[in-house]
Amino acid sequence: MEGINIVKICDNNLILEINYLSSELKEKIKDNLVEICHGEYGLASSSKHMSLNGTITELSSRITEDKTKRVGIVGELLLNVVIREFSNMRIISPFFNIEDRSFKKGFDIISIDHNKKIWLIESKAGEQGNCKTSTDKLCERLMEAKNDLSRRLKENSSQLWLNAIKTVHSSLVENDEKKTIMNILENNSNSSKINDKNVILGGTVFCVVQQKINSKK
């Protein structure tokens, strides 16, 4: 995609550089914004709140003055876009928190692959700040994502999974496939282990273009 360079791609990780918001990337965001924010249900809905204009208005209201939160929102939005563009996974959770305008209380993103396996995706974003390199910041963000997700899974909180089930349920249209997906998610929630879950850690660093990510690290 114009404006995005693939630095490294292998079985376990993908490094992308978004050098600028190209017309192609902007169009991709526009074309997918309703589905990203509301899920597949948004595409089938005739509600004005789930129209493109309604979605843009709602998204604007959720981008707060708090810079840290704003960076997190944009980072997760970009992660939503690149997962759709550069993987064969299908995202089955909405970007918007269905209860209010605060951050989601469950998993950041939930997806399903072609083998019908559920993937839990944790997103952490930040500016380079005091870190010497963008690589250092990325490593810090990924470690934070790992620790945060591990902690929540170890808590064996029913509320965590209830939130996940409700968000996926609100995202999908009613059909037999939805029932299958909900059953798979329910099965995932029955275990309090962390080593039997499929997890993706997403780190986004905002920095000058000249800062290159060290793929070995």
Side-chain angles (χ1 to χ4, degrees), residues 112-214:
I112 191 166
D113 64 19
H114 61 281
N115 292 317
K116 299 299 181 183
K117 292 183 178 179
I118 295 287
W119 290 81
L120 309 175
I121 304 173
E122 184 71 12
S123 171
K124 296 294 182 185
E127 295 181 299
Q128 184 175 327
N130 296 324
C131 291
K132 290 184 178 181
T133 66
S134 55
T135 301
D136 291 340
K137 183 63 179 182
L138 180 57
C139 290
E140 182 267 330
R141 290 288 78 197
L142 291 172
M143 184 58 68
E144 176 68 17
K146 178 182 178 182
N147 292 339
D148 190 19
L149 186 56
S150 295
R151 175 185 55 79
R152 283 183 286 138
L153 288 173
K154 287 177 181 177
E155 287 175 351
N156 192 24
S157 168
S158 61
Q159 190 59 50
L160 175 68
W161 289 101
L162 281 173
N163 289 334
I165 290 167
K166 286 192 291 184
T167 56
V168 171
H169 188 274
S170 73
S171 174
L172 301 175
V173 294
E174 292 290 343
N175 54 32
D176 290 339
E177 184 190 37
K178 177 177 179 176
K179 295 176 183 177
T180 300
I181 290 175
M182 295 305 299
N183 286 334
I184 295 170
L185 184 59
E186 287 278 3
N187 289 335
N188 272 253
S189 70
N190 290 332
S191 165
S192 59
K193 299 177 181 178
I194 63 171
N195 60 356
D196 62 349
K197 306 294 189 299
N198 301 308
V199 170
I200 294 174
L201 306 177
T204 306
V205 180
F206 294 90
C207 59
V208 295
V209 176
Q210 287 76 14
Q211 283 274 351
K212 301 298 181 182
I213 300 296
N214 184 325

Side-chain angles (χ1 to χ4, degrees), residues 54-65 73 96 101:
T55 301
I56 291 172
T57 300
E58 180 60 28
L59 178 61
S60 298
S61 68
R62 292 175 184 242
I63 299 179
T64 67
E65 294 298 321
I73 290 171
F96 285 166
R101 289 173 175 168

Side-chain angles (χ1 to χ4, degrees), residues 31-94:
D31 290 344
N32 288 274
L33 192 62
V34 170
E35 184 176 1
I36 288 173
C37 293
H38 302 289
E40 295 175 1
Y41 178 79
L43 297 177
S45 173
S46 58
S47 169
K48 66 177 183 179
H49 304 294
M50 295 186 186
S51 65
L52 178 59
N53 288 337
T55 301
I56 291 172
T57 300
E58 180 60 28
L59 178 61
S60 298
S61 68
R62 292 175 184 242
I63 299 179
T64 67
E65 294 298 321
D66 185 304
K67 190 174 185 181
T68 300
K69 291 182 179 178
R70 192 163 69 243
V71 166
I73 290 171
V74 175
E76 187 178 329
L77 179 62
L78 289 172
L79 184 60
N80 252 281
V81 174
V82 298
I83 287 173
R84 285 172 162 82
E85 182 69 16
F86 294 96
S87 82
N88 60 1
M89 290 189 300
R90 173 181 166 201
I91 294 178
I92 55 174
S93 62

